Amino acid sequence: MTDKMMSRRRLIEAAAGALLLSGCSSQDESSTKKVKKQGKIKKADASDQSKHLRDKDDLYEVYDDSGIVTMYLTVSRGNSSENTDHSWAEINTYSVYDYQAMDVERYQVLGLLQPGDDKGPVAGEVGYGEEAPNATVQVRGQSSSKGVQKNYKVELKRGKGTWRQQRSIALNKHMSEGLRFRNKMAYDLIRGIPQMMGLRTQFVHLWVCDQTEKSNDTFADYGLFTQVEQLNKTALKAHGLDKDGHLYKVNNFEFERYKDIIKLADDPSFNQADFDYLLETKGDSDHSKLIEMLDALNDDSQKIDDVLATYFDSENLVYWMAFQILTGNCDTQNRNFYLYSPLNSKGWYFLDWDNDGMLRKRELEIQDHTDYSSWERGVSNYWVNVLFRRALKSKLFRRELDDAVKDVRSFLTEARLSKMIKHYREVTESLVFASPDIDHLPVTKDEYEQIAAAIPSEIEENYKSYRESYKKPMPFYIGVPQIENGKLRINWDASYDFETRDIRYTVELARDYAITDVVFKAEDVLLPEVTCDAPDTGQYFARVRATNSDGYTQDAFDYYVTDDGKQYGMKCFYVQDGGKVVEDTYAEG
């Protein structure tokens, strides 16, 4: 923690202590009598109370999380009533998308979880000396569930004990991440930023004994995992938050109103599956407060500064956003975070979740992967989100964000990151560079060295991208082209410039996403629409770019997905016989 942040925390704690030692203390009898005699007792108005969230420092001091914990997991078949009558092979075969196609719940097996050390289970830990299962086990995650190596959710049964006061144990492999320590690193960094709420994490070496098919007493090495505390009622209580409050896991949500989906749960037309696609309910299921906030946010007649003051804590928003921007954790525009609100409050807070995509610029470059570039750098990455789009149009919010970015930047120093990386490497490399993990690592040892060495400098690169993003026009969406009377019409939303600079557009129509086989091109376009002769049947790519009067250029939001990643700024579509235009929806990602 920087001296600046440490001093801020000490000031807050000192102020709190001073209040407790003031005339309100029952131990200072003379002071109490004096206050009562003068009739000057002053009660704080509820509106004056601080709405900032602060994590509990002592929560992280109970256990040493700097090394690796070994866990032994014995899996066996259960019963059909609990959906545990399955084999370990089945558990590791199917992805979440397979379950969706089969229209069944994720398969589970019974498990006996026994934490310990490299010699075996340790006395005093959950499951020690037991033979009967104490948990259920299933694959966790979404896109990660398609990987060869899986992430697991181990749910300890009620009455069977806890591990570090937790019943739900999430073990993440981070298979697509070459270093395998980024998520742990993120939460360790967040602990040093008072304005952010973190979660407890621990490196885990997992061994599994499969008894689902036959009798077996041999444990197989499953390599390195990162355990991350699950955001649930137990975690909320542990971190000093309201366990009975509202908590949503954000899956695909840009803070649009979505009136056909986001309704009260007792509405006859409410569809839980559709709601979960946007937001998974992890707390109170009364959505009325969420609806109230979204109604206000999507009402352009209400000033955004007033909406933020009523329904959000700007400190929470700007520090969460600053951390994502500086660490380059780009896949956070509409997912990979939680929304939390205390039960008797209108306020909503962002809670951090899933950081294995941070500080990956060099790794993506080595892999010739184009993702997380173009508009996904800087503030433009959040322009798709109604909340941040409206907030960023506020000069007050931009000033607060800039202050937060500078503050967090002063904490994320190269020296700090280098020291942390050195430690993580010492702890994890013996597992990362051994089977089974080395067999599926997406980088070579030489590439690993390059990536680890480049991480500390990425903060400054991301800071420069942040500063430059204000100079560019903001991204926008391209409409689906239409053919009418032998003409192809291409239109798009107008771009936005923070300094209201003049914006012109360049439009290209090509038969390839590299935009080399060009059919039509128009430059210096003022209005967001062009027409050209209708092309022949086939696949086409319409690319639109906005350039302001200072010469800064921005791509459209739309992109085309290839094996190498995203090709930015273009809409892919097909012209069929009869002039029908069909959009390539997969191209949207």
Side-chain angles (χ1 to χ4, degrees):
M1 184 180 296
T2 62
D3 291 339
K4 181 178 179 181
M5 290 183 175
M6 181 67 80
S7 63
R8 181 179 303 161
R9 175 167 283 176
R10 286 171 176 165
L11 283 172
I12 293 171
E13 291 172 347
L19 286 173
L20 290 174
L21 294 173
S22 69
C24 296
S25 171
S26 60
Q27 295 178 353
D28 189 346
E29 186 176 350
S30 61
S31 295
T32 304
K33 289 180 178 179
K34 184 177 182 180
V35 170
K36 287 182 178 179
K37 182 178 180 180
Q38 294 178 350
K40 293 184 179 180
I41 294 176
K42 181 180 180 181
K43 295 183 178 180
D45 185 83
S47 62
D48 293 335
Q49 300 300 305
S50 172
K51 61 180 181 180
H52 301 324
L53 298 186
R54 291 293 182 269
D55 209 348
K56 295 174 66 175
D57 288 347
D58 56 1
L59 189 64
Y60 300 91
E61 298 171 358
V62 179
Y63 301 101
D64 179 9
D65 64 359
S66 61
I68 295 180
V69 166
T70 304
M71 289 187 176
Y72 298 90
L73 181 64
T74 303
V75 294
S76 56
R77 283 183 179 270
N79 60 83
S80 57
S81 298
E82 293 180 322
N83 193 28
T84 54
D85 186 17
H86 299 284
S87 70
W88 187 237
E90 285 179 297
I91 296 297
N92 288 282
T93 295
Y94 299 117
S95 72
V96 61
Y97 307 101
D98 295 322
Y99 290 121
Q100 290 173 354
M102 295 186 292
D103 195 24
V104 297
E105 295 293 323
R106 299 188 194 196
Y107 293 162
Q108 300 183 91
V109 292
L110 293 178
L112 173 59
L113 181 68
Q114 298 172 302
D117 55 26
D118 57 359
K119 296 181 178 63
V122 171
E125 291 283 6
V126 65
Y128 180 76
E130 298 182 13
E131 295 182 2
N134 61 1
T136 59
V137 186
Q138 68 180 49
V139 166
R140 67 174 307 276
Q142 296 291 324
S143 58
S144 63
S145 66
K146 294 189 293 185
V148 177
Q149 293 180 294
K150 306 294 185 181
N151 303 332
Y152 300 110
K153 176 184 177 183
V154 182
E155 185 77 21
L156 290 166
K157 294 185 174 183
R158 293 189 182 278
K160 294 292 186 178
T162 62
W163 181 75
R164 298 184 178 180
Q165 291 79 52
Q166 302 170 52
R167 286 182 51 234
S168 186
I169 315 299
L171 301 176
N172 299 324
K173 178 57 74 174
H174 302 298
M175 186 178 173
S176 64
E177 194 259 282
L179 302 183
R180 301 290 175 91
F181 60 64
R182 285 184 172 94
N183 207 27
K184 170 80 167 128
M185 183 178 184
Y187 283 113
D188 288 346
L189 286 169
I190 287 172
R191 283 166 58 178
I193 303 173
Q195 297 83 358
M196 293 187 71
M197 296 292 296
L199 292 169
R200 291 172 285 180
T201 65
Q202 176 73 62
F203 289 127
V204 171
H205 186 188
L206 180 66
W207 295 81
V208 179
C209 177
D210 178 11
Q211 298 182 354
T212 61
E213 297 283 18
K214 59 182 180 180
S215 179
N216 182 25
D217 61 0
T218 303
F219 283 86
D221 188 353
Y222 273 60
L224 178 72
F225 289 78
T226 302
Q227 175 269 334
V228 181
E229 183 179 15
Q230 288 291 279
L231 254 175
N232 50 30
K233 291 185 177 182
T234 301
L236 291 178
K237 181 179 179 181
H239 289 266
L241 305 180
D242 184 359
K243 69 179 181 65
D244 297 317
H246 296 79
L247 185 68
Y248 296 99
K249 183 177 184 291
V250 179
N251 291 328
N252 187 15
F253 183 58
E254 294 97 5
F255 283 79
E256 300 279 357
R257 176 59 184 87
Y258 296 114
K259 290 185 177 181
D260 57 333
I261 297 175
I262 297 180
K263 308 175 182 180
L264 295 178
D266 58 3
D267 189 310
S269 62
F270 177 79
N271 185 300
Q272 188 68 56
D274 289 345
F275 190 95
D276 289 345
Y277 178 77
L278 302 176
L279 299 162
E280 284 185 52
T281 306
K282 301 293 186 179
D284 192 293
S285 60
D286 179 2
H287 306 312
S288 57
K289 186 162 62 172
L290 175 69
I291 291 171
E292 179 185 339
M293 177 269 288
L294 291 175
D295 282 340
L297 179 62
N298 286 271
D299 180 0
D300 289 337
S301 69
Q302 296 195 37
K303 294 180 179 179
I304 186 58
D305 289 336
D306 294 338
V307 173
L308 293 176
T310 302
Y311 296 102
F312 295 94
D313 173 19
S314 289
E315 180 196 84
N316 168 259
L317 291 181
V318 296
Y319 272 87
W320 177 88
M321 195 176 183
F323 184 79
Q324 313 309 324
I325 288 173
L326 288 173
T327 60
N329 194 25
C330 302
D331 195 16
T332 49
Q333 313 99 328
N334 61 355
R335 64 175 189 162
N336 291 332
F337 58 91
Y338 277 75
L339 269 182
Y340 159 74
S341 179
L343 193 59
N344 295 313
S345 167
K346 287 187 175 183
W348 292 90
Y349 300 86
F350 278 51
L351 302 182
D352 195 87
W353 180 253
D354 197 351
N355 301 276
D356 62 358
M358 77 162 192
L359 298 172
R360 289 190 67 184
K361 190 172 186 291
R362 181 57 182 148
E363 184 170 333
L364 293 171
E365 289 172 352
I366 286 175
Q367 296 171 338
D368 292 324
H369 213 64
T370 60
D371 284 11
Y372 307 140
S373 56
S374 184
W375 52 262
E376 290 188 283
R377 294 283 169 180
V379 295
S380 51
N381 187 48
Y382 298 92
W383 199 250
V384 68
N385 188 306
V386 173
L387 170 61
F388 288 113
R389 183 168 65 248
R390 290 202 66 194
L392 284 165
K393 290 182 179 181
S394 162
K395 291 183 178 179
L396 173 60
F397 182 86
R398 293 202 300 273
R399 285 197 300 269
E400 292 176 340
L401 175 60
D402 203 47
D403 288 342
V405 166
K406 292 174 182 176
D407 196 9
V408 175
R409 177 190 176 209
S410 71
F411 174 68
L412 302 178
T413 63
E414 289 197 21
R416 183 184 301 280
L417 298 185
S418 296
K419 183 178 180 180
M420 294 174 73
I421 291 167
K422 181 177 183 293
H423 168 71
Y424 297 136
R425 294 186 62 173
E426 292 171 347
V427 170
T428 64
E429 281 187 15
S430 62
L431 294 179
V432 171
F433 292 136
S435 291
D437 289 345
I438 189 63
D439 304 324
H440 305 286
L441 203 65
V443 299
T444 67
K445 287 187 176 182
D446 287 342
E447 290 170 342
Y448 181 102
E449 293 290 341
Q450 295 178 49
I451 294 163
I455 280 182
S457 64
E458 286 192 22
I459 299 296
E460 281 306 298
E461 293 180 44
N462 293 331
Y463 177 71
K464 291 177 182 176
S465 295
Y466 161 73
R467 298 304 311 165
E468 187 167 286
S469 66
Y470 282 119
K471 301 175 184 178
K472 296 180 179 181
M474 289 296 98
F476 50 91
Y477 280 108
I478 304 171
V480 180
Q482 300 293 326
I483 293 178
E484 298 174 359
N485 301 320
K487 294 290 185 180
L488 177 72
R489 182 170 62 90
I490 304 171
N491 66 347
W492 56 93
D493 296 328
S495 181
Y496 177 90
D497 190 276
F498 288 109
E499 300 297 331
T500 64
R501 287 163 287 216
D502 182 47
I503 298 175
R504 301 298 174 104
Y505 303 92
T506 298
V507 185
E508 296 159 294
L509 179 66
R511 294 186 177 91
D512 63 327
Y513 66 79
I515 317 296
T516 57
D517 188 0
V518 178
V519 176
F520 169 80
K521 182 175 182 177
E523 299 179 285
D524 203 32
V525 177
L526 179 60
L527 299 177
E529 179 177 308
V530 296
T531 59
C532 64
D533 292 336
D536 297 333
T537 58
Q539 183 184 26
Y540 292 92
F541 300 84
R543 184 169 72 180
V544 183
R545 288 172 166 169
T547 302
N548 63 25
S549 54
D550 284 351
Y552 289 94
T553 297
Q554 183 65 270
D555 292 315
F557 273 127
D558 310 82
Y559 54 81
Y560 181 69
V561 179
T562 69
D563 290 340
D564 296 326
K566 299 172 184 174
Q567 310 301 320
Y568 290 91
M570 61 187 68
K571 171 84 71 177
C572 176
F573 65 96
Y574 297 86
V575 176
Q576 299 180 340
D577 291 338
K580 182 179 179 181
V581 175
V582 178
E583 178 184 10
D584 185 345
T585 53
Y586 176 73
E588 297 296 330

